[in-house]
Amino acid sequence: QEGMPQTLSSTSMFTPCGFNPHLHTSKEGEQGGLIFQDGNLTSASLDALIQHLIPTTDYYPEKAYIFTFLLSSRLFIEPHELLSRVCHKCIEQQRLDDPVLDKARIRKFGPKILQLLTEWTETFPYDFQEERMIGHLKDMIHRIAPCDEAYWKKMNQLLQALNQKLATLSHGQEGIVKISTAVSDKLVAFKTKPPSIQREILSVCSDPYTLAQQLTHVELERLSHIGPEEFVQAFVHKDPLDGTKTCFGEQKTSNLEAYVKWFNRLCYLVATEICMPAKKKQRAQVIEFFIDVARECFNIGNFNSLMAIISGMNMSPVSRLKKTWSKVKTAKFFILEHQMDPTGNFYNYRTALRGAAHRSLTAHSNREKIVIPFFSLLIKDIYFLNEGCANRLPNGHVNFEKFLELAKQVGEFITWKQVECPFEQDPNIIHYLHTAPIFTEDGLYLASYESESPENQTEKDRWKSLRSTILGKT
């Protein structure tokens, strides 16, 4: 297990751990092309796994299996192709092509196939942005509906719920204030001439608790748009058994990327706010303010904003401001830094995250449920899990053991992203967070040198060249 990211097993429906871990109570060995070890499904051919997903009159796959397989199958087969194969097999097995249908039999099978389709649309709604997917759904219902009128109603509810979800997601994506990466290094020119052109954070929100809560709003809003499949699609390679194409033309990971952009923006915003004020005392005040915000983020369980704030304060243009830092009570900052220290593969942070995840499981209020992981580390863990094990075994079987671990990590994330934000939203602050001008790295260095002059020749040379390129001064 060395080096494997540890996760707390959650009792949520998504993670295998919430069930009896035996995905099938069978002895060692093989059953319908599925290989078991200690009662756990470890590997199988893709065909056998697809067969295992398909309900019959007296069988329905476990929730854990459905989630794990739908999440990972896209590494081998596109969702529309999978759904097409599922439908074909159902038609064959339930003889839905027969001129006279066996109604009693189909009444046993109908609710099960509808349940499977419902779970698929609820957990992976983005799969159904494709017309072909909806086509398969409708074809299935046309075949079973003659046996029971209620199936039409059920199908309509499913499609309505799906449309609503997709509308909310796409509307949400537009509604998220577009991050402005528009950069304003020219602000440095105004630095020495008050009043400042820039509204600064403290004029928009001077209470660290409020700002931490608004950051949590932004984080949860952005998280809610990330589909579980994006984690897998980010790492799609060619499938060795299908040398012709990758499974996805363009990787469908836009929400994931937008979230990483937000993290970077927050780092730079923190650094800009600190480097901007002309007076040392004001800069120290901004640093102390952000330390308090970060501390409150930690208490809330918002580790992503916490890490972004610490990263912003640790950027060289900020950390070189020795005179400014000498005015700051740094004890609180060192405690936070220690929490997010990367040593031992982020041992301290992982311990804190497990604590928050545990609290979340027993929570009575939404506020205690909040867990917002340090996102780029979560992606890195999933990346290493993906790189560290093969998708297929030498015999061509799908390495299902790997995908159970993947489903455990992604499933936990899904539980967290579904938390409703308990804090009231302040549109003014949120707008500022997304649109306030930020410096590029060069702008930060220039602002930093203008605040506390260079200490050595390298810094002096850099200052000189930045003054000429940004300010047009020699």
Side-chain angles (χ1 to χ4, degrees):
Q1 272 300 110
E2 184 46 29
M4 270 296 279
Q6 297 177 310
T7 47
L8 182 86
S9 64
S10 143
T11 47
S12 92
M13 62 171 247
F14 293 107
T15 45
C17 355
F19 303 88
N20 170 354
H22 310 299
L23 267 180
H24 231 284
T25 42
S26 110
K27 298 168 289 301
E28 294 293 307
E30 190 175 346
Q31 182 192 326
L34 305 169
I35 309 294
F36 292 90
Q37 214 172 351
D38 303 329
N40 291 322
L41 174 53
T42 53
S43 75
S45 68
L46 187 58
D47 282 340
L49 290 171
I50 293 174
Q51 185 57 59
H52 196 53
L53 180 70
I54 293 172
T56 63
T57 48
D58 49 12
Y59 164 75
Y60 188 75
E62 294 197 0
K63 248 181 162 50
Y65 177 76
I66 296 172
F67 177 66
T68 305
F69 184 60
L70 289 181
L71 177 71
S72 51
S73 59
R74 58 200 67 240
L75 289 167
F76 308 99
I77 178 173
E78 287 196 48
H80 71 88
E81 218 173 310
L82 176 62
L83 185 54
S84 160
R85 282 175 66 174
V86 166
C87 292
H88 281 302
K89 287 197 167 187
C90 288
I91 291 166
E92 236 172 76
Q93 287 163 17
Q94 303 305 323
R95 300 203 284 280
L96 298 178
D97 269 342
D98 285 7
V100 179
L101 295 175
D102 176 348
K103 286 194 174 173
R105 174 181 181 152
I106 288 171
R107 279 200 195 101
K108 275 189 190 158
F109 166 74
K112 293 191 169 130
I113 187 67
L114 279 169
Q115 175 61 30
L116 180 70
L117 297 172
T118 304
E119 284 189 48
W120 193 336
T121 54
E122 281 174 356
T123 318
F124 299 95
Y126 289 124
D127 284 352
F128 293 85
Q129 283 171 316
E130 277 201 66
E131 267 312 298
R132 287 182 283 192
M133 293 291 281
I134 303 289
H136 294 313
L137 286 184
K138 289 183 171 164
D139 176 56
M140 197 67 213
I141 201 71
H142 277 286
R143 290 170 184 276
I144 61 171
C147 300
D148 192 334
E149 280 300 299
Y151 293 161
W152 286 119
K153 195 173 154 205
K154 185 96 174 91
M155 189 61 169
N156 275 330
Q157 285 169 337
L158 181 153
L159 287 171
Q160 258 175 328
L162 178 64
N163 281 332
Q164 209 173 344
K165 199 155 188 179
L166 286 173
T168 317
L169 289 169
S170 70
H171 172 71
Q173 283 164 320
E174 289 150 24
I176 285 184
V177 192
K178 285 282 172 278
I179 282 193
S180 71
T181 37
V183 175
S184 55
D185 293 342
K186 293 279 180 273
L187 282 172
V188 183
F190 305 115
K191 191 176 161 95
T192 43
K193 305 188 198 124
S196 169
I197 293 295
Q198 160 131 345
R199 273 204 312 171
E200 76 286 323
I201 187 77
L202 288 169
S203 68
V204 181
C205 174
S206 57
D207 174 48
Y209 291 92
T210 308
L211 188 59
Q213 293 179 357
Q214 297 309 305
L215 285 168
T216 305
H217 242 294
V218 174
E219 299 279 353
L220 285 171
E221 163 74 7
R222 289 184 169 273
L223 279 186
S224 70
H225 297 292
I226 297 172
E229 70 284 353
E230 293 192 42
F231 289 103
V232 175
Q233 281 157 202
F235 308 125
V236 169
H237 297 307
K238 281 199 165 80
D239 183 9
L241 294 193
D242 175 18
T244 52
K245 59 178 172 47
T246 47
C247 303
F248 291 91
E250 25 63 272
Q251 321 261 269
K252 307 183 179 81
T253 54
S254 53
N255 300 297
L256 205 127
E257 287 158 30
Y259 191 46
V260 173
K261 268 199 189 114
W262 150 253
F263 178 89
N264 293 337
R265 172 174 167 84
L266 184 52
C267 294
Y268 274 85
L269 180 65
V270 168
T272 301
E273 295 283 348
I274 295 170
C275 292
M276 197 52 210
K279 294 196 167 63
K280 180 167 60 187
K281 191 177 153 191
Q282 289 171 303
R283 291 193 298 274
Q285 195 190 351
V286 177
I287 292 179
E288 293 198 326
F289 172 71
F290 276 120
I291 293 172
D292 289 337
V293 174
R295 205 165 111 170
E296 186 51 22
C297 285
F298 181 84
N299 294 336
I300 290 174
N302 177 355
F303 297 105
N304 203 49
S305 293
L306 165 65
M307 197 56 167
I309 293 170
I310 291 176
S311 307
M313 291 169 129
N314 278 328
M315 286 171 84
S316 312
V318 178
S319 60
R320 69 169 288 282
L321 299 170
K322 308 272 191 304
K323 293 173 186 147
T324 303
W325 280 95
S326 71
K327 296 250 171 283
V328 174
K329 301 185 198 64
T330 46
K332 288 191 283 192
F333 181 60
F334 293 140
I335 292 169
L336 289 172
E337 254 195 328
H338 178 66
Q339 282 296 346
M340 303 311 271
D341 180 5
T343 353
N345 192 10
F346 287 91
Y347 180 80
N348 297 344
Y349 157 69
R350 289 181 193 277
T351 309
L353 180 70
R354 278 203 297 277
H358 193 72
R359 175 194 68 191
S360 181
L361 286 177
T362 54
H364 297 298
S365 68
N366 270 347
R367 179 160 185 156
E368 297 168 298
K369 280 195 186 123
I370 299 172
V371 183
I372 300 169
F374 169 29
F375 195 64
S376 50
L377 188 62
L378 177 70
I379 293 180
K380 205 165 115 186
D381 285 346
I382 290 174
Y383 175 78
F384 281 120
L385 169 63
N386 191 55
E387 289 295 299
C389 325
N391 289 338
R392 288 193 189 261
L393 304 174
N395 64 0
H397 269 195
V398 171
N399 180 3
F400 201 73
E401 226 172 337
K402 165 180 176 174
F403 296 122
L404 280 171
E405 183 56 42
L406 187 69
K408 190 164 106 181
Q409 295 193 24
V410 176
E412 194 167 30
F413 168 78
I414 290 189
T415 316
W416 296 336
K417 83 172 193 142
Q418 287 169 335
V419 176
E420 288 281 319
C421 190
F423 309 118
E424 204 172 327
Q425 200 171 359
D426 182 325
N428 197 13
I429 298 175
I430 288 181
H431 185 74
Y432 183 86
L433 288 170
H434 283 108
T435 56
I438 52 171
F439 290 151
T440 56
E441 200 173 342
D442 279 349
L444 284 173
Y445 271 110
L446 179 55
S448 176
Y449 296 143
E450 297 279 327
S451 296
E452 295 186 18
S453 40
E455 303 212 328
N456 54 39
Q457 201 48 51
T458 319
E459 288 196 342
K460 280 180 188 150
D461 295 344
R462 184 160 193 187
W463 189 21
K464 223 163 116 178
S465 88
L466 289 173
R467 285 196 75 141
S468 68
T469 51
I470 296 177
L471 298 180
K473 290 182 180 169
T474 42

